[in-house]
Amino acid sequence: MNFPDSDTLLLYAVPSICWAASICWLLYRQRSAFPGIPGSDGLISSYLVALRFLRRPNEVIVLGCNQDRNGVFRFARLFNWEYVVVGRKRVVELAAAPSNILSAVEALADTFQTDYTLGLEFRINPYHIGMVQGPLTRNLSRCFPRVRDEIVHAFDHVLGLHENVWNLVQIFPASIQVVARTSNRLFFDLPICRESEYLQLCIDNAVVVFTRGPMLCRLPKVLRPVLGPFLSPRKRTLRQVLKFLGPLIDERLEQEKRYGRNWPGRPNDLISWLLDVSEGEGRTKPVLAQRVLIINAVAIHTSAMTLTNALYDLTTYPEHILPMREEAESVIAAQGWTKAALNDMHKIDSFLRESMRLNINTLQLRRKVVAKDGFRFSDGTTIPYGSFISVPGKATHYDPGTHSIALDADIYISLPNVFDGFRLSRLREERHGLDASGCSDLFTRHMISTAPEHIAFGHGQHACPGRFFAATELKAMLAHMLINYDIKAETDIRPPEICIAEATMPNPQGKIWIRKRE
Ligand code: HEM
């Protein structure tokens, strides 16, 4: 038998000891009066819960929610306690808390170890958020024609379908390619949005953030600076992406130096929008290129997962296809392909919102308590400094009690965990002809509307600023698919979702049949 040599032993022993020591220390240090989930009070049992959360997160959350439906519970993660907030009132308070008390950026920095995967700037100066809220969203209508054009080309190119022959398509990878191209057509226009090497760099970078980030997060803090640079190829990716973006950024900075910020002929794209909101160091070439990678990382996988889920739902509940296709065809016949036309596709909007409601992450609205005195709810309950706090996605979206407060349509109350793509469009049809006071609540239930009961895009201070673009892109994609393609399920069973810790994703192996319509 071969025994490992001393170097190998050391390599495994040091991290293991550090890891065990960190866990014991942290769990001991953070003992508190908050109820843990049943059976998790001891050191060993809490550690077992932390491991269980990685593989079967919803079981852990259900235990906590069943314990107290209107309060706060906590469970152990590998290096900290996670406080989970249940009930509308608490969600409203959490969502409204300012960033100097509850920080969304610090929570993301922890989950995805962004210091290593996206660079320090992500956390220290997150000016990309203002860029998405401001210039990017303001320019959506103006840039819609190029986004629409790319949707046509991207589906054609990625699906590669000829005539009306059925093809079995693995839908998640295809969605990623289509979304990456379409998003980058908004960001840069031609030709860069079709550079396959550039697109692959953006996609691979996002994969690193979503897979290696959480992996790093499961290592003890002391090991992260050592292993971070090995696990994340951030610097290499940045160097490679600068081959594509470097000359473009140089030229913009040069033009600005010569002719001022609003020089004639300045392109309406991501670099200009980033330059609009940045100052000093934020306007240097590597920082701007890294920001492009950051925007791609937050935009591509979220939208591709939403599109994949929508297509799984559409093929699982095919009775939605015809009514949505008829709606899309009649709206486009009357108005053409404009962003405004998408606002009249109520069935598609309702369908996507329903798909996002049912396919929700285990934990949403994750925040880190950064105020030294902790975060205090109005009833005095205080979450200590340095803790993480979040809202359970499924418990919130599937809860009949909560939904009966927000949505008083009978069907919504009785069947919260059943997929009904037209819940909201039906409500709109039922109220047709009523005056504005009878319909006002409909305006708060679009795909982009957030609420304490609907947190797919978060809610409050840090609600996703990219949701206006995501909704435009996804509605246009779904309408395009319905009009130009037939789709059907591969099997009777919807490909099962994958849950790992707080994240839920559509099954990446799932396939659907697609053919071009005549
Ligand atoms: C369907 C697609 C998308 C989904 C489901 C989604 C979801 C989310 C969620 C849940 C959050 C956290 C909100 C919170 O904690 O309260 C978030 C934040 C954010 N999203 Fe999105 N997102 C999507 C698309 C996009 C796109 C396309 C962009 C950019 C173009 C974007 C940019 C951002 C940014 C910058 C933040 C951070 C906001 C902040 O911390 O204040 N997202 N998104």
Side-chain angles (χ1 to χ4, degrees), residues 104 128-129 132 136 295 298-299 302-303 306 356 364-365 367 456-459 462-466 469-470 474:
H128 54 275
I129 299 175
V132 179
L136 186 147
I295 293 298
V298 293
T302 45
S303 300
T306 307
M356 293 182 81
Q364 290 282 102
L365 279 121
R367 306 283 183 262
F457 283 117
H459 182 57
H462 296 282
C464 173
F469 171 49
L474 291 166

Side-chain angles (χ1 to χ4, degrees), residues 62-81:
V62 165
L63 278 174
C65 289
N66 288 346
Q67 180 177 270
D68 178 1
R69 292 212 61 80
N70 208 19
V72 184
F73 66 90
R74 64 175 196 159
F75 65 93
R77 303 201 58 175
L78 292 176
F79 303 111
N80 59 280
W81 291 97

Side-chain angles (χ1 to χ4, degrees), residues 15 18 81 107 141 185 192 198 221 226 246-247 273 287 298 301 307 313 352 392 398 421 427 431 436 442 446 475:
C18 291
W81 291 97
S141 289
R185 183 75 187 267
I192 203 166
Y198 162 76
K221 270 189 188 155
V226 183
W273 303 333
V287 174
V298 293
H301 277 63
L307 179 63
D313 288 331
L352 283 166
Y398 293 23
L427 208 60
R431 309 256 184 105
L442 294 179
H446 292 303
K475 285 173 76 173

Side-chain angles (χ1 to χ4, degrees), residues 10-54:
L10 207 63
L11 193 72
Y12 286 101
V14 171
S16 308
I17 291 166
C18 291
W19 195 352
S22 315
I23 294 160
C24 295
W25 180 71
L26 275 162
L27 290 177
Y28 175 74
R29 187 180 65 115
Q30 293 198 8
R31 277 180 187 283
S32 89
F34 273 95
I37 64 164
S40 70
D41 284 342
L43 186 60
I44 303 288
S45 57
S46 63
Y47 186 46
L48 291 177
V49 167
L51 293 176
R52 187 174 173 193
F53 183 72
L54 292 178

